Amino acid sequence: MASKFRICKASCCYEKEPLKTAFGFKGSALTCLWQTVVRLETDNNIGIGLGVQSVLWSDATVFHALGEEEGNRAMFKLTKYAVSLCEGMEIETPFEAIDTLFPMVYSYAKDITGCENLRTTFVLNALVPLDFALWQLWSRENGKTNFDEISLFDGKRQSKLANIPLITYNTPIETVKDMARNGTALFKIKIGSDPLKNNDLDAMLSWDKNRLLEIHNAVKDIKTPYTKTGGVLYYLDANGRYDTKERLKALLDFAEENGILERIVLLEEPFDEQNKINVGDLPVTVAADESAHSLEDVKERFELGYKALTLKPIAKTLSVTINMADYARKHGMVCFCADLTVNPIMVSWNQCVAARLHTLPQMNIGVMESNGEQNYINWENMHKLHPFYNESFTKCENGIFNLNNIFYAKNGGIFELPRHFDILTLKEGE
């Protein structure tokens, strides 16, 4: 039984991190990502949690209504509001805290965005740094020094994770080819482009076909020891851009005709979450991501034929993710960890979950997406904040994260405070 602790002081701030190029998905693009920080204190301990805001990913309607800057400002207001509610709160577990805070923050979020049908993920994204700070505090207050003590995973320990880089609409084909030559075994490919900027879905389908064929032709002959077939595999992310099963089948038929279908390990979020199409008869494993905001959503997606679940503790909170993963495991759904272009410390939170998942059926080792190094201008400076900056598990080498004994002994550093970090130097926000 965990002991209760009282949060006597709480604060938050943010910093903007520019991206190397426009980051294209969902038919739009990002130019920078706000890094958020929450600091919580009890009488005896401090907990610091980091977050990364992705308004376009979490609710494209808000992104298009408010724009990139104002959308980020709105999300940070949610974090700040949640932090203010935390001060003086006495809690037993982060699960309890997030369950208590969520309805109040969601109501506030609808008010400040003017969006009555606001997606739950927008609020969860805002709560991530608070959730991580709570888990740090919980571990210190209760003397819990092992990640296995807070999770419901089955104890699997991977020694290697194949990094899944993200191929956006703008990633040069030579870059893709170089990644495959340097060890990448599984690529996450964004589909659903809006090439004419008018939401022409026929043009989208044509663009997607050409893009898949271009990538496949570039890497199909490159070998890897990390897959069952010895060839590079693909994970397609549609971000809800397809409208009908017929249009999606046209893409998959094209893929089959060109020898691509057999390499598609996962197809993520083909349809908008309100478009409740059964996907059980599709010739690929379909994964739920943005549509899975809660345990009830995971159950619904399972009934709709979704056979995989994208885990994002770095985007939906660890607290919510643990419960989702437990249901998925018990019902035979494939689980894997995807990225939100997070910073190096948050990569380690994802590693702690990914390291305890079973391998995908087509893979010989575990997998995890991490694309921050590809996309941030200041990645190396961000990396230096990691409490185990010099350890090999924090670096992807030849497409692989090697998880050594230090990684497991130190929980990837997630319960440690960041190095050279002063929350007071960042902006307090609104």
Side-chain angles (χ1 to χ4, degrees):
M1 186 70 143
S3 59
K4 287 191 174 184
F5 57 94
R6 181 179 178 277
I7 299 168
C8 59
K9 189 175 181 181
S11 57
C12 63
C13 53
Y14 68 88
E15 187 169 61
K16 300 177 185 180
E17 284 292 347
L19 303 174
K20 294 176 182 177
T21 59
F23 189 114
F25 65 103
K26 287 195 178 183
S28 298
L30 305 174
T31 62
C32 80
L33 287 167
W34 287 28
Q35 314 291 305
T36 51
V37 187
V38 168
R39 176 184 175 124
L40 303 178
E41 298 179 35
T42 65
D43 289 335
N44 304 309
N45 290 295
I46 294 173
I48 289 182
L50 306 187
V52 169
Q53 298 189 167
S54 187
V55 178
L56 177 56
W57 171 80
S58 61
D59 196 318
T61 301
V62 175
F63 182 87
H64 292 130
L66 300 181
E68 185 173 13
E69 178 76 11
E70 289 306 310
N72 273 299
R73 204 171 297 283
M75 186 180 283
F76 182 72
K77 285 181 179 178
L78 303 191
T79 304
K80 191 169 185 179
Y81 177 63
V83 167
S84 71
L85 294 176
C86 260
E87 201 159 274
M89 181 183 287
E90 190 175 79
I91 66 170
E92 187 170 318
T93 69
F95 296 113
E96 170 198 344
I98 296 300
D99 285 346
T100 300
L101 292 169
F102 181 85
M104 293 183 282
V105 179
Y106 185 74
S107 177
Y108 178 66
K110 289 195 293 184
D111 289 341
I112 66 170
T113 62
C115 184
E116 190 61 30
N117 296 315
L118 185 71
R119 298 180 74 250
T120 306
T121 311
F122 186 81
V123 177
L124 291 176
N125 194 172
L127 291 175
V128 166
L130 174 59
D131 183 65
F132 285 159
L134 286 168
W135 279 113
Q136 271 204 357
L137 270 186
W138 180 89
S139 69
R140 291 196 175 97
E141 291 286 327
N142 290 279
K144 303 291 187 181
T145 59
N146 191 317
F147 185 79
D148 290 319
E149 296 181 275
I150 70 170
S151 70
L152 299 177
F153 306 107
D154 59 10
K156 171 71 178 176
R157 288 193 170 194
Q158 300 281 359
S159 61
K160 293 180 183 294
L161 295 176
N163 182 38
I164 310 172
L166 179 62
I167 307 305
T168 70
Y169 307 146
N170 305 313
T171 305
I173 203 66
E174 278 304 314
T175 300
V176 179
K177 190 181 294 187
D178 287 343
M179 288 179 183
R181 287 171 177 157
N182 292 327
T184 295
L186 176 59
F187 286 97
K188 180 177 182 178
I189 303 168
K190 288 288 185 182
I191 59 174
S193 178
D194 187 5
L196 304 179
K197 304 304 178 189
N198 63 355
N199 203 32
D200 183 332
L201 297 182
D202 289 330
M204 176 192 76
L205 175 60
S206 178
W207 189 95
D208 284 352
K209 289 178 179 179
N210 291 333
R211 181 62 163 165
L212 280 185
L213 186 59
E214 180 185 38
I215 291 171
H216 179 63
N217 285 338
V219 303
K220 64 182 179 181
D221 296 325
I222 298 173
K223 301 301 180 184
T224 172
Y226 302 121
T227 68
K228 301 292 187 187
T229 62
V232 174
L233 302 176
Y234 316 134
Y235 151 22
L236 308 185
D237 184 8
N239 285 121
R241 289 279 294 153
Y242 277 72
D243 59 335
T244 65
K245 189 182 287 189
E246 289 67 33
R247 196 183 305 277
L248 183 62
K249 282 183 175 178
L251 177 68
L252 298 177
D253 287 345
F254 174 84
E256 185 173 25
E257 291 163 8
N258 289 276
I260 301 170
L261 185 65
E262 62 192 26
R263 298 195 183 217
I264 299 175
V265 177
L266 299 160
L267 171 59
E268 186 176 271
E269 292 291 0
F271 308 116
D272 181 85
E273 66 184 84
Q274 301 304 321
N275 196 355
K276 301 185 189 301
I277 296 173
N278 192 294
V279 299
D281 60 341
L282 292 174
V284 291
T285 298
V286 183
D289 180 13
E290 297 102 306
S291 62
H293 312 281
S294 66
L295 181 57
E296 290 306 311
D297 293 328
V298 175
K299 293 177 181 178
E300 179 186 67
R301 294 291 130 173
F302 178 69
E303 294 298 321
L304 288 172
Y306 286 72
K307 297 181 177 68
L309 178 63
T310 306
L311 301 181
K312 282 188 172 176
I314 44 73
K316 301 178 188 177
T317 75
L318 179 63
S319 297
V320 170
T321 298
I322 287 174
N323 290 327
M324 288 182 178
D326 186 51
Y327 176 88
R329 177 179 59 82
K330 290 175 180 176
H331 289 79
M333 296 177 78
V334 173
C335 289
F336 61 99
C337 282
D339 199 7
L340 198 70
T341 313
V342 298
N343 54 65
I345 291 176
M346 295 179 72
V347 168
S348 286
W349 281 93
N350 242 10
Q351 283 178 324
C352 282
V353 175
R356 291 164 171 84
L357 301 175
H358 290 285
T359 55
L360 299 179
Q362 299 91 331
M363 295 293 299
N364 294 326
I365 60 174
V367 300
M368 187 189 79
E369 181 196 1
S370 178
N371 61 70
E373 188 170 8
Q374 287 175 251
N375 292 293
Y376 283 113
I377 290 175
N378 301 317
W379 179 259
E380 187 56 29
N381 288 337
M382 298 163 74
H383 191 191
K384 289 176 182 176
L385 296 177
H386 198 290
F388 293 98
Y389 163 70
N390 291 318
E391 291 297 332
S392 60
F393 68 79
T394 70
K395 303 174 179 69
C396 180
E397 299 177 358
N398 298 319
I400 300 295
F401 287 107
N402 290 292
L403 307 182
N404 54 21
N405 291 335
I406 296 175
F407 169 81
Y408 284 104
K410 300 296 185 181
N411 306 291
I414 63 172
F415 298 140
E416 311 292 330
L417 298 180
R419 297 170 70 245
H420 313 306
F421 190 81
D422 183 358
I423 191 172
L424 299 177
T425 65
L426 302 184
K427 298 178 182 177
E428 285 293 337
E430 298 298 311

